[in-house]
Amino acid sequence: MADKAPLFPLTDFQRETFVSTVWKKGEELYRDLPWRHIPDPYEVLVSEVMLQQTQVSRVLRFWPEFLRRFPTIDALAATSTGAVLESWQGLGYNRRALALKRCAEQCSAEYGGTLPRSYEELVSLPGIGPATAAGVRAFAFGEPGVYLETNVRTVLIYEFFPDQEKVSDKVLADILQQTCPEQKVTDWYYALLDYGAHLKATVGNLNRQSKTYARQSAFEGSRRQKRAFLLRQVLDDPGQTADELLRALNWEEASCKRPEVPEGEMQGILADLVKEGFFTCKEGRYYS
């Protein structure tokens, strides 16, 4: 697959050994997940977006219901932002839902309600980065590419850099370019994912050795927590004023033995949520 000289050139023995190990582990550790080996690229995309920073066990609960409510790209595009965010509650990282909705709107308007197949077109869509685009291409279309996410990264670090810190994603992507097959791409990446999930459960999170690793800040008491609370409030009871939302937020903070939120901070959070498209404000009242 690679046209340029590799950054981390593998010998034939290294490549053959690694490929053999991945296929063997993939067969031993295969997980029969409902979004695997399905023909619908949209359903694959929804699973890929949900699985970002979210445990498989939680996605298993949310993925079928989300698709029941929004079975096609056009259906997702046509629904309200509030309905999408409501269906996303419990998955966290609500920006993903907003981006998925915007992606559906663009696909409905520009691609006839389908997902484009090319990498360049996919990464131009809202919420689709390099890994998600490569995942959709691998799992929906069987196209080879560099699908580098946490489980895959875990395998590569374990096999090639077990004692090294600050491992570059460029080097890991280079190894994937040298090893990803032209055929059976879908099964290859399932094998990497399942092997990586097993390693994370048995040897720990080797992603900490990655140059891109950043520890997630605590959620409770954070601005993210306040944003999530306010979003939930507006979804549950649309039309509240800023004063009503501030009272509800401060009641929540007091119940958790945290200090009151200053009005200025609250106004900043609401302004951000409006700017990002989570809320609309009409005559001083907030709606999703």
Side-chain angles (χ1 to χ4, degrees):
M1 291 176 55
D3 296 322
K4 298 184 294 185
L7 298 172
F8 188 82
L10 301 177
T11 66
D12 289 343
F13 176 77
Q14 285 177 309
R15 182 169 54 253
E16 290 167 9
T17 300
F18 175 69
V19 168
S20 176
T21 298
V22 171
W23 284 125
K24 180 174 181 292
K25 292 295 184 181
E27 184 176 354
E28 292 174 0
L29 303 167
Y30 180 77
R31 296 174 295 173
D32 188 17
L33 300 172
W35 47 81
R36 291 189 168 181
H37 298 294
I38 54 176
D40 190 335
Y42 166 65
E43 294 183 4
V44 172
L45 174 64
V46 173
S47 72
E48 286 295 299
V49 174
M50 285 188 173
L51 286 163
Q52 296 167 7
Q53 299 174 294
T54 304
Q55 293 180 337
V56 169
S57 59
R58 186 170 294 183
V59 177
L60 282 169
R61 302 199 330 263
F62 280 84
W63 182 77
E65 178 59 21
F66 190 91
L67 290 173
R68 186 192 68 77
R69 292 192 66 180
F70 316 113
T72 65
I73 286 175
D74 287 335
L76 182 59
T79 197
S80 69
T81 297
V84 177
L85 291 170
E86 178 65 39
S87 294
W88 203 266
Q89 295 308 290
L91 278 169
Y93 300 96
N94 292 296
R95 283 188 179 91
R96 294 179 299 166
L98 204 58
L100 187 60
K101 158 79 168 151
R102 289 170 176 163
C103 175
E105 290 171 349
Q106 190 168 334
C107 287
S108 185
E110 298 180 11
Y111 296 105
T114 63
L115 269 180
R117 185 163 181 157
S118 79
Y119 176 84
E120 291 75 18
E121 288 175 305
L122 285 168
V123 294
S124 74
L125 294 169
I128 299 186
T132 303
V136 169
R137 280 170 53 78
F139 303 131
F141 304 122
E143 297 282 357
V146 175
Y147 178 55
L148 185 57
E149 58 77 74
T150 57
N151 285 351
V152 176
R153 189 182 287 110
T154 295
V155 173
L156 295 171
I157 291 175
Y158 179 80
E159 291 289 341
F160 293 102
F161 308 102
D163 301 315
Q164 185 172 325
E165 299 294 327
K166 303 294 183 182
V167 180
S168 167
D169 271 1
K170 289 184 179 180
V171 170
L172 300 181
D174 180 69
I175 294 173
L176 287 176
Q177 286 181 318
Q178 295 177 72
T179 55
C180 180
E182 293 293 331
Q183 305 295 326
K184 299 181 68 175
V185 175
T186 301
D187 292 330
W188 168 253
Y189 276 117
Y190 287 159
L192 278 169
L193 288 170
D194 294 342
Y195 185 19
H198 171 74
L199 289 173
K200 286 168 77 173
T202 54
V203 303
N205 185 10
L206 299 182
N207 280 272
R208 293 189 180 94
Q209 295 171 223
S210 167
K211 192 174 182 179
T212 61
Y213 177 76
R215 184 181 295 276
Q216 180 67 62
S217 59
F219 179 74
E220 292 302 323
S222 68
R223 188 179 180 88
R224 288 188 299 121
Q225 174 261 320
K226 296 176 180 63
R227 285 170 56 102
F229 177 84
L230 291 171
L231 179 58
R232 180 74 262 174
Q233 284 291 114
V234 173
L235 287 171
D236 287 345
D237 186 13
Q240 294 184 68
T241 66
D243 286 343
E244 290 169 332
L245 290 169
L246 181 59
R247 282 197 294 273
L249 177 58
N250 279 330
W251 185 91
E252 172 72 9
E253 296 299 286
S255 70
C256 296
K257 299 184 171 145
R258 292 192 292 262
E260 287 192 351
V261 179
E263 184 177 354
E265 180 181 352
M266 166 73 170
Q267 291 292 348
I269 294 173
L270 288 176
D272 285 347
L273 289 168
V274 170
K275 182 179 179 181
E276 294 166 25
F278 289 100
F279 290 170
T280 59
C281 184
K282 299 177 183 176
E283 298 180 350
R285 296 184 179 274
Y286 290 87
Y287 303 85
S288 61

